[in-house]
Amino acid sequence: MQKEFGGRAIVLDRSDINTDEIIPAKYLTEVTKEALKPYLLEDLKLEGFDPDGDVLAEARVVVSRENFGCGSSREHAPWVFEVNGIHTIIAESYARIFRQNMFNCGMLAIELPRDAIDALIAMAAAAPLDVTVDLEGEKLTASAGGQTLNYDFDISSFDKALVVAGGWVEFADARY
Amino acid sequence: MGKTLAEKIFDSHLRDEPFPGTKVLNIDRVLCHEITTPVAIADLVWRGKDRVFDRTSIKAVIDHVTPAKDSKTATQAKILRDWARRHDIPDFFDVGHNGVCHALFPEKGFIHPGHTVIMGDSHTCTHGAFGAFAAGVGTTDLEVGILKGVCAFREPATIRVNLDGVLPTGVFAKDVILYVISRLGVNGATDKVIEFRGGVVDQMSMEARMTLCNMAIEAGGTSGVCMPDKVTVDYLWPFIENDYVGKEAALAAFSKWCSDDDANYVEVMDVDVSSLEPQVTYGYKPDCVKPVSEMAGTPVDQVYIGTCTNGRIEDLRQAAEVLRGRQVAATVRGIVSPATPKIFNDALADGIIQVFMDSGFCVTNPTCGACLGMSNGVLAEGEVCASTSNRNFNGRMGKGGMVHLMSPATAAATAITGVITDARTL
Ligand code: SF4
């Protein structure tokens, strides 16, 4: 089943946020996704960021910079976002394994160019930022404090099919 | 136009192209460990699809935390163990026989030129040293690999790194790869294969080639690869001697995977290693690299020698050479973890274990252990570790801890003085 996308966004204004920061290895001993929930971004190195704060708790979308999700292959990284209700990430670029893990879980890893990310970050600095996603039309709308911006994004046919199917297991099981 | 090794493997393993640009490959080796596999197993059971596509193509090991340190890690190990028994997986490695996956599986002769290899582990790129396409994947890809024996990729472009010149004494594969990553950056090879070529690679042992390929992912690379050659044949010979009439025949068969001379590369990087110094990382990203001379004098609390990057026999020999007849500084905890039982055994036979113990090192069983901050040497807040591993991320070896990556020789010299030290100056 397709997931819900969009919602209130949190900005993580840094490049190279790695999967150890998203979910530290010591929690990889959990064998259910739900158990990961309290530990989201616990080790993130970013000034002013509070992993226990309301901003993260309310977020449904993450906006970030380059090479998001680099490092370990742990799918616990998308899962810990998923169990916290964050199904959409918007960044300049991704590490390959993280990006594929997101789509494999039926979640969205959207790439936007730097100037678009700059604009989203500037909007979020002024007022709470909300994002709506039109997957079929490959468009997203960002609004904050009365201001609205529209962006087109590209997603490969394969990745879109995974999102629609609800993930790679469903897709592969039906086909191979 | 000729083809690269990766393109040849993609062509020969193509199962499906469901959409333009998406290649679904048949997978020769699906490798499993106890951290990322249990959730895949649980999901397969939940779906009523608790099956494996081919029990002999799947290899499994308990390596990250072993023997189990608590109930949770014991449960993870049990899930993998029960699954391996249930499906009668012949190559399953448990306590007494287990070691770090990317050292153990090659040592067993499981990886051959031309293979496609996936594992739920980012350092799967290590196995490209054998001329294989080997990629780390997440748990869902692993799950589909276990069930169907396939995995989807965008066809990667290849970056060719020519390593020429002569490695100075005291400078090793680890120094070369740290330097290459500093040039490429942590995402310089995203969605790409890094092909290591040149006279320096030709001269390298399989162990050293694995060290190079191991860290391809630290530049974002999908796989590192080396061309299969005589060194590859010699390493694999005990496992393949019944398959070929002689080593020349094996070499001829392997050579067909080598990149063609007129193959297409997206980028070519030339590195002359002749004046390379030992390299050390600073900061929290593996591309933050400096010559050891600029890092010398930095105090450390712990020295960790082992892991899938540098826990092989050659690495232990290099460290032992520095340690022989010397003592670990009073301010330092030295920990060495031979990466597999065979390496441990060879190190015992060579007297290397004795050298480590005489110098004051703690010798642990083969395991990932402290590399990812799960056991056997986790750092306390504010502590600094000189490590032969591959990641210096914030908190990697323990919350609030700092990691400097370096070669086994530099790590050993650092253990003796208590501060980052160029082994050549001792
Ligand atoms: S030794 Fe470290 S990097 Fe290698 S597989 Fe184990 S945890 Fe991962």
Side-chain angles (χ1 to χ4, degrees), chain A residues 72 74, chain B residues 33 35 63-64 100-103 119 121-124 126 214 218 304 306-310 339 367-374 389-391 396:
Chain A
S72 152
R74 63 190 67 160
Chain B
H33 66 53
I35 300 294
D63 65 348
H64 275 56
V100 177
C101 50
H102 309 305
M119 179 171 199
D121 194 284
S122 60
H123 294 102
T124 307
T126 313
N214 175 269
E218 306 311 330
Y304 191 65
T307 82
C308 60
T309 321
N310 281 132
T367 175
C368 296
C371 173
L372 79 169
M374 288 186 86
S389 54
N390 45 36
R391 289 212 167 117
R396 170 76 180 180

Side-chain angles (χ1 to χ4, degrees), chain B residues 301-306 316 323 327-329 332-338 344 352-367 370 375-378 415:
Chain B
D301 303 289
Q302 180 169 298
V303 171
Y304 191 65
I305 298 177
L316 303 192
L323 292 174
Q327 287 295 307
V328 170
V332 170
R333 311 180 297 267
I335 301 169
V336 58
S337 185
F344 200 128
I352 291 173
I353 295 295
Q354 195 64 51
V355 172
F356 274 105
M357 294 194 72
D358 288 347
S359 71
F361 259 78
C362 161
V363 184
T364 84
N365 65 301
T367 175
S375 64
N376 273 358
V378 179

Side-chain angles (χ1 to χ4, degrees), chain A residues 16 18 20 25 28 30 43 45 71-73 75 96 99 101 104 158-159 168 170 173 175-176, chain B residues 16 22 24 47 49 72 76 121 136 138-141 148 154 191 284-285 372 391 393-394 396 399:
Chain A
D16 307 314
N18 66 63
D20 275 78
L28 305 186
E30 302 294 348
D43 275 354
K45 220 174 167 53
S72 152
S73 65
E75 203 162 303
R96 177 189 64 86
R99 182 191 65 214
N101 286 345
N104 282 349
F158 177 60
D159 293 337
W168 170 230
E170 285 77 1
D173 197 42
R175 194 167 168 115
Y176 305 108
Chain B
D16 184 23
T22 301
V24 176
R47 289 171 189 273
K49 296 182 189 298
K72 284 184 174 171
Q76 287 182 305
D121 194 284
T139 291
T140 301
D141 274 336
K148 302 284 179 181
R154 299 179 184 181
D191 283 316
Y284 298 106
K285 293 195 301 169
L372 79 169
R391 289 212 167 117
F393 296 159
N394 179 38
R396 170 76 180 180
K399 195 176 176 71

Side-chain angles (χ1 to χ4, degrees), chain B residues 47 65 67 175 180 396:
Chain B
R47 289 171 189 273
V65 188
D175 303 304
V180 168
R396 170 76 180 180

